[in-house]
Amino acid sequence: MRRADLMFGLSELALILVVAVAVLGARKLPGLVRSAGKATRIFKSEARALREQDAPDAPASGSDRVIPGTVVGRDGTPRP
């Protein structure tokens, strides 16, 4: 028997996971889903807060940003 014959595919692993949840955790499943949703909301709010903290004076989306400086051509000379 080859080793590849003994490996599980994605569909087999998904089926095993569904059966395990149904048998072992049917009562705890709503609490787990609720906790996962709460963790996702907290993660999103923290990521949004970090983004706002990093760029508090960022321009509104869709507006052009003006970056001061000199435009230089490929040959290194300033362009008008």
Side-chain angles (χ1 to χ4, degrees), residues 7-80:
M7 301 300 286
F8 291 116
L10 187 59
S11 59
E12 288 89 0
L13 291 175
L15 181 64
I16 291 171
L17 180 65
V18 167
V19 170
V21 166
V23 171
L24 301 175
R27 286 188 220 153
K28 295 187 179 194
L29 189 59
L32 291 172
V33 172
R34 193 175 307 118
S35 296
K38 188 175 180 180
T40 303
R41 283 191 300 274
I42 291 171
F43 179 75
K44 284 183 180 180
S45 67
E46 291 296 325
R48 190 177 311 118
L50 282 175
R51 230 177 299 131
E52 291 172 358
Q53 180 183 6
D54 287 344
D57 57 343
S61 73
S63 65
D64 294 332
R65 288 187 343 175
V66 177
I67 301 173
T70 305
V71 177
V72 179
R74 292 181 188 241
D75 58 356
T77 58
R79 291 176 28 186

